[in-house]
Amino acid sequence: MIRLGIDVGGTNTDGVVLSADNEILASTKSTTTKDIFSGIKQTLAKLMEESKLNAEKIDVATLGTTHCTNAIVERKGLNRVGIIRICLPSGSAVTPLLDWPQDLVDQLDPVTLLIHGGYEYNGEPIAALEESELQNAVEKLKGEVDSIAITSVFSPVQNEQEKYVAEYLSKAMPEIPISISSEIGSVGLIERENATILNAALMSTIRRVSEGFQQALEQEGIQAKIFLGQNDGTLMTNEYAQKYPIYTIACGPTNSIRGAAHLTNEPDAIVVDIGGTTTDIGVLANSFPRQTSLAVEVGGVRTNYRMPDIYSVGFGGGTRIHREDNGWKVGPDSVGYRLMEEAKAFGGETLTATDIAIAKGQVHFGEPDIASFKDLPVDDIYETMTHVVEEAIDRMKTNSEDATVVLVGGGAALMPEALKGASKVIRPAHAGVANAIGAALGDISGTVERIYLLENDSYENIIENAKAEAVKNAVAAGADPNQIQIIQLEDFPLAYLPGQALLVKVKVAGPLKI
Amino acid sequence: MKWLNEEDIQHISIGAAVLGTGGGGDPYIGKMLALSAIKKYGPVKMVTLEELEDDHFVLPVSGMGSPSVLVEKIPSFDQLTAPLEAYEEAVGKKVDVVMPIEIGGVNSLIPVAVAAMKGIPILDGDAMGRAFPEAQMVTFHLDGLKPELVTLADEKSNVVSIKPADGIWSEKISRQITIVMGGSSIVSDYGISGKQAKESVIPDTLTLAQQIGALLTNERTAKIHPIVQMLEKLNGYKLFTGKAIQIERKIQGGFTRGKAIFEGSDEDKESTCQLFFQNEHLLAEVNGKPAAITPDLIAVLDEETGMPITTEGLKYGARVVVVAFPAHEKWRTDIGIETAGPKYFQYDYEYIPLETLAKEADQ
């Protein structure tokens, strides 16, 4: 099975082709283009040329995309969202979007409605749905919104009302996509509602991304099965991604950490991904990205997804170097994808981190015009740059011992051979396309979401059975049974059912068995 | 006297969740309730115990029930003030100052929301110096006071007043009412005079929570890890470092009950830690031996940032540090241990102070 992985970042579009035994057949790096898809097309063309493969040979094409993340962070191309919370008479003391950044709210241009309903923890309704409120919702939303997000109190326990309201609105507005919270998140009303609203806001973005990727593949004659990478390192089908674009959020750092793991075979390391604009630092623990146990904010919005524990600093190849009254300052702004036009080394006017690394002799790139750098304190500036990364590495450590550091990303070459706090610094071959490798190597997952009865079995047995079944599902979908790990495990007692019912959710994942 | 700003509230929510020992509610919900009320009704003034007049009428307001319910079923504004209004009507006088009954992520900030709505100050102090699961586990009870009147409200505009015989009955009856109300209610009890407050209230605990929250928020990049700084400030001990591998949790009898098992990492590799909770963490065992016992405080913190993780918020795979702090001296008395010690919660241990357990573990 031949796999193709593409990762579209803010600065670079990376691509890689992997053989059946995960050998790298071709890898390439193109500049991300403003329209994004000509960048993907360019990458695909280069990959096909380099690998000399027939396009029909490619079985699987995986896209790791930052489009959805960027749409939220940059507040661009978001849908107008109708927000319905089924909660009254509860919930009025904390209304939807209360702590969202105002500029993001302005972009969503939301219509927000609180209606009667929702459930108690035991599945009894807090209140019944009211026909008049549903009619009113149709009137308020029709023509005013592009998509709808519906959240009810305790819908992870009982989602009948969410489904009913979604169907009701869908009948009146069949063209409008609807997201319901029970399919998006777990217990925690505000975080689940936030994720559902973001999901609804991304409907057009994900459609553009997927259509563009499909077109680019078609133009190269590639008829592979299309997957998109998720933030937990697993893959989802294109059809699934259309309904749940929120799951693509933050898949970039996950992919680069996983790519680094594949390239080095190091089970434990600090992975430093230096791009054009930012450096993302993550931790590889037992061959998996270390995850944060805290609520993660996406573009200033609180969610309760488990995300890789990433610390980002504004440093990359395109980082501007500023002259200040008392010395030189590194970043945090960057020329981004305009590096090739704007950096001094390439004939531009802006002094960047790449220029300093060239002047220092760290990066070799043609014949640098040393004369233009001779008045600069290159050593000092280079030390400052290095220090920015070293400090960030230090921050991600959980003990004071020196750690293995793996440098990946387009800017990996900027750093010296040794770093403070690193027992060794590894710069693997193909480091520049680690995230595309991570995308291509996305895991196959298996899930179980089922109600078990505690009166029939012990808690431990139930959990073990659920895990075993999830593993079976993952293996059936193609995962390697020897490398499966649990990535999510939750249970919630359902007091409304007899026999001490327990709702168990398990997700396991492992690499594709070869 | 001090006006609480948005940053203070953020810090109180975090610090209170540490002192809330896993209970007392999700700090995010607490923060949102307070900020939402302040945004709508205006700022809140915090007063110290010394600033109270002896004849002031001081009333605690808090959330009762399972914190797992509160993260889904959020109160309405009317519900927040209904118990106070019922209390005022029954005793025939206006409340001058509200106070938190306990220090927890939500319960230190519900009274801030109520203070904003009523335009009255909040007292810098509480009746536990931490969070406990049951209504009689308050310094008022230790000092021989009775709740006299208890008022409860739900979001459906049900308001219930009871005149319980004592603190224990207050817990039993109001817990049942809370269950009927859907597992979560807003409560006022132990309305007291400023004079009595000065005798029984543990002072300056909101300020302490605010300082801890500021420390965890601002010292992330400090040379000394914020957890270490916090342990020093609270005379605490680090009990365990590890990863959550099993969490058994249910909403039962109006509480979130269960246990969590952690597998050790770093210096605790090969060790396991078990935490037992009833809303709050009550007992920590490392390798089957007690490491901290109620009424001493047990908190679970995110390993990297030191941010507190509540019992309802703990997830499989979370990497944590388990820490413990000595309880306020009022809890280490005979009546304190009888009220909130291990025997009360049916754990088969005698209370041993944290410092003694830590010394034994070192040997």
Side-chain angles (χ1 to χ4, degrees):
Chain A
M1 178 185 291
I2 307 279
R3 272 173 292 171
L4 176 113
I6 301 280
D7 183 278
V8 186
T11 311
N12 293 306
T13 299
D14 304 338
V16 67
V17 178
L18 299 182
S19 72
D21 44 7
N22 289 344
E23 292 294 318
I24 295 166
L25 301 178
S27 72
T28 186
K29 210 171 185 56
S30 303
T31 308
T32 298
T33 50
K34 211 170 167 206
D35 73 341
I36 288 162
F37 297 106
S38 43
I40 295 183
K41 258 162 61 186
Q42 217 175 324
T43 303
L44 286 177
K46 281 199 217 168
L47 284 176
M48 298 318 293
E49 192 189 315
E50 194 187 319
S51 65
K52 298 193 174 58
L53 277 172
N54 196 328
E56 288 129 44
K57 290 265 184 204
I58 300 201
D59 303 294
V60 171
T62 308
L63 178 68
T65 172
T66 55
H67 286 84
C68 292
T69 314
N70 289 351
I72 296 169
V73 172
E74 295 170 11
R75 319 329 196 185
K76 275 186 199 152
L78 297 170
N79 293 123
R80 295 175 302 165
V81 181
I83 300 166
I84 296 183
R85 189 198 281 173
I86 311 171
C87 65
L88 293 177
S90 83
S92 62
V94 182
T95 46
L97 308 172
L98 192 64
D99 65 341
W100 285 43
Q102 191 54 45
D103 58 339
L104 181 53
V105 175
D106 292 345
Q107 280 298 310
L108 296 184
D109 191 18
V111 177
T112 303
L113 298 164
L114 269 55
I115 64 172
H116 280 83
Y119 293 94
E120 307 281 3
Y121 73 95
N122 60 7
E124 280 176 30
I126 294 173
L129 293 171
E130 289 176 16
E131 175 75 22
S132 60
E133 288 182 336
L134 297 180
Q135 271 170 9
N136 176 53
V138 171
E139 278 162 34
K140 290 266 167 60
L141 298 176
K142 208 164 184 177
E144 297 298 316
V145 301
D146 310 311
S147 61
I148 295 170
I150 302 173
T151 307
S152 123
V153 175
F154 272 116
S155 67
V157 170
Q158 173 60 274
N159 68 356
E160 269 176 33
Q161 289 184 352
E162 276 188 0
K163 288 200 314 223
Y164 183 87
V165 174
E167 263 170 50
Y168 189 98
L169 298 178
S170 187
K171 267 185 204 143
M173 298 171 269
E175 73 291 359
I176 299 289
I178 298 176
S179 304
I180 65 171
S181 80
S182 50
E183 293 177 355
I184 304 262
S186 56
V187 174
L189 180 82
I190 305 286
E191 292 87 349
R192 189 174 71 251
E193 178 179 76
N194 286 351
T196 310
I197 296 168
L198 288 177
N199 192 67
L202 291 168
M203 285 295 168
S204 298
T205 304
I206 196 72
R207 200 179 318 129
R208 276 199 307 275
V209 169
S210 124
E211 283 172 2
F213 188 47
Q214 252 169 314
Q215 272 169 21
L217 290 169
E218 275 167 25
Q219 284 185 15
E220 287 297 323
I222 299 170
Q223 293 171 325
K225 193 157 170 49
I226 298 177
F227 289 99
L228 276 86
Q230 305 187 59
N231 55 38
D232 61 8
T234 63
L235 298 176
M236 58 181 160
T237 61
N238 196 15
E239 298 74 52
Y240 192 84
Q242 298 304 307
K243 283 175 81 178
Y244 307 108
I246 186 76
Y247 293 143
T248 67
I249 298 293
C251 68
T254 305
N255 285 342
S256 68
I257 299 171
R258 293 167 58 87
H262 177 71
L263 290 172
T264 59
N265 279 325
E266 291 281 337
D268 299 291
I270 293 184
V271 178
V272 181
D273 181 0
I274 306 179
T277 307
T278 55
T279 294
D280 292 333
I281 297 168
V283 179
L284 195 54
N286 295 320
S287 304
F288 276 77
R290 185 174 86 196
Q291 293 193 305
T292 169
S293 40
L294 300 174
V296 181
E297 288 197 352
V298 179
V301 178
R302 185 183 165 99
T303 67
N304 59 0
Y305 287 115
R306 294 208 56 205
M307 299 264 191
D309 192 2
I310 298 292
Y311 180 59
S312 296
V313 285
F315 174 76
T319 295
R320 289 174 198 257
I321 309 295
H322 302 276
R323 162 147 241 167
E324 297 205 322
D325 292 344
N326 49 355
W328 296 82
K329 190 169 156 262
V330 176
D333 51 337
S334 164
V335 298
Y337 63 86
R338 298 184 311 277
L339 180 69
M340 301 301 274
E341 293 121 58
E342 295 199 10
K344 274 189 177 241
F346 307 111
E349 291 298 315
T350 312
L351 183 62
T352 67
T354 301
D355 296 313
I356 298 297
I358 290 172
K360 174 79 181 162
Q362 177 64 34
V363 174
H364 303 287
F365 200 93
E367 290 283 319
D369 179 11
I370 296 293
S372 73
F373 298 119
K374 74 176 193 319
D375 295 332
L376 292 177
V378 167
D379 288 349
D380 289 353
I381 301 174
Y382 187 72
E383 200 186 307
T384 310
M385 277 163 46
T386 311
H387 192 60
V388 169
V389 174
E390 286 171 341
E391 267 198 346
I393 291 172
D394 191 54
R395 218 186 130 111
M396 291 303 281
K397 286 187 182 172
T398 46
N399 61 47
S400 56
E401 281 167 40
D402 284 354
T404 301
V405 170
V406 180
L407 292 176
V408 296
L414 298 176
M415 287 292 112
E417 313 311 316
L419 287 168
K420 213 188 299 162
S423 55
K424 59 176 168 178
V425 176
I426 304 174
R427 222 180 310 244
H430 304 289
V433 293
N435 40 16
I437 295 169
L441 291 175
D443 276 344
I444 305 298
S445 62
T447 57
V448 163
E449 183 168 342
R450 180 173 320 150
I451 295 161
Y452 294 84
L453 297 181
L454 275 164
E455 71 179 7
N456 297 345
D457 210 343
S458 72
Y459 176 84
E460 285 79 9
N461 275 342
I462 286 171
I463 297 297
E464 285 312 315
N465 288 342
K467 282 187 203 168
E469 194 179 329
V471 169
K472 213 173 93 190
N473 292 345
V475 171
D480 183 346
N482 297 319
Q483 296 189 63
I484 287 180
Q485 300 247 356
I486 300 166
I487 53 178
Q488 188 197 4
L489 173 58
E490 282 180 3
D491 60 69
F492 200 90
L494 302 179
Y496 62 95
L497 294 174
Q500 299 179 60
L502 191 68
L503 173 69
V504 180
K505 289 187 191 180
V506 189
K507 184 172 184 182
V508 304
L512 197 67
K513 188 170 168 28
I514 298 151
Chain B
M1 193 276 277
K2 156 184 177 57
W3 292 94
L4 295 175
N5 63 30
E6 188 171 340
E7 192 179 39
D8 294 332
I9 285 170
Q10 160 91 4
H11 290 160
I12 288 172
S13 73
I14 294 166
V18 174
L19 297 173
T21 74
D26 177 12
Y28 176 70
I29 297 283
K31 179 183 89 174
M32 294 294 277
L33 283 171
L35 292 181
S36 169
I38 287 171
K39 193 172 165 187
K40 191 163 174 191
Y41 297 94
V44 170
K45 194 163 71 175
M46 182 168 74
V47 297
T48 63
L49 266 181
E50 294 79 52
E51 287 166 336
L52 281 185
E53 305 286 339
D54 281 353
D55 61 352
H56 268 159
F57 180 36
V58 183
L59 184 68
V61 189
S62 63
M64 184 171 197
S66 162
S68 307
V69 172
L70 199 63
V71 296
E72 278 289 327
K73 196 173 73 165
I74 293 164
S76 67
F77 273 126
D78 289 346
Q79 183 189 1
L80 290 175
T81 50
L84 176 142
E85 282 155 9
Y87 218 106
E88 284 181 335
E89 197 186 318
V91 299
K93 55 183 169 182
K94 290 281 174 193
V95 173
D96 298 300
V97 178
V98 290
M99 67 172 277
I101 197 79
E102 66 178 1
I103 296 299
V106 165
N107 271 344
S108 58
L109 291 170
I110 279 179
V112 171
V114 173
M117 293 175 73
K118 286 286 155 189
I120 53 178
I122 180 169
L123 179 63
D124 185 2
D126 77 307
M128 298 188 195
R130 51 165 292 165
F132 274 122
E134 299 185 15
Q136 78 283 7
M137 296 173 179
V138 286
T139 49
F140 304 133
H141 178 79
L142 305 186
D143 292 347
L145 297 184
K146 289 177 180 173
E148 307 291 346
L149 176 68
V150 181
T151 52
L152 302 95
D154 69 10
E155 73 284 352
K156 302 170 190 82
S157 67
N158 292 306
V159 180
V160 180
S161 299
I162 50 175
K163 287 188 165 178
D166 57 23
I168 306 271
W169 278 108
S170 152
E171 163 62 26
K172 282 187 184 172
I173 297 169
S174 39
R175 187 68 54 183
Q176 291 309 313
I177 294 167
T178 299
I179 291 170
V180 174
M181 287 176 164
S184 177
S185 64
I186 302 293
V187 182
S188 278
D189 56 358
Y190 293 100
I192 49 166
S193 67
K195 187 163 186 290
Q196 184 63 52
K198 287 172 190 171
E199 283 167 29
S200 294
V201 167
I202 299 180
D204 307 325
T205 44
L206 282 177
T207 297
L208 178 65
Q210 185 262 327
Q211 289 168 350
I212 294 167
L215 193 158
L216 292 178
T217 312
N218 301 336
E219 301 293 313
R220 272 195 72 172
T221 49
K223 283 272 177 291
I224 303 170
H225 196 283
I227 295 179
V228 177
Q229 293 189 44
M230 185 172 71
L231 289 177
E232 203 160 286
K233 185 173 175 67
L234 298 172
N235 300 315
Y237 297 84
K238 182 167 148 181
L239 304 183
F240 196 78
T241 305
K243 181 180 118 168
I245 55 162
Q246 192 180 317
I247 303 153
E248 283 183 57
R249 186 166 40 201
K250 51 190 160 182
I251 299 170
Q252 185 191 53
F255 298 104
T256 299
R257 283 183 207 261
K259 69 174 179 185
I261 303 176
F262 302 87
E263 174 187 88
S265 57
D266 299 342
E267 67 261 40
D268 293 310
K269 222 163 193 160
E270 315 293 321
S271 291
T272 48
C273 173
Q274 281 201 67
L275 292 185
F276 298 85
F277 52 85
Q278 175 183 328
N279 288 5
E280 283 77 20
H281 297 299
L282 297 171
L283 171 66
E285 287 178 353
V286 175
N287 296 329
K289 286 197 182 126
I293 305 174
T294 175
D296 288 333
L297 289 70
I298 302 161
V300 175
L301 310 173
D302 175 65
E303 183 185 27
E304 196 211 344
T305 59
M307 288 293 166
I309 301 174
T310 55
T311 50
E312 79 279 5
L314 184 65
K315 287 184 184 163
Y316 174 87
R319 295 167 61 95
V320 306
V321 175
V322 182
V323 297
F325 315 109
H328 189 273
E329 65 213 17
K330 287 201 179 201
W331 292 109
R332 291 181 155 197
T333 57
D334 287 345
I335 179 154
I337 292 163
E338 185 192 323
T339 304
K343 290 278 189 276
Y344 180 84
F345 293 103
Q346 280 145 33
Y347 297 122
D348 200 13
Y349 290 118
E350 294 298 330
Y351 171 72
I352 302 169
L354 172 64
E355 300 88 325
T356 315
L357 289 172
K359 226 177 266 170
E360 284 170 8
D362 263 355
Q363 279 160 11

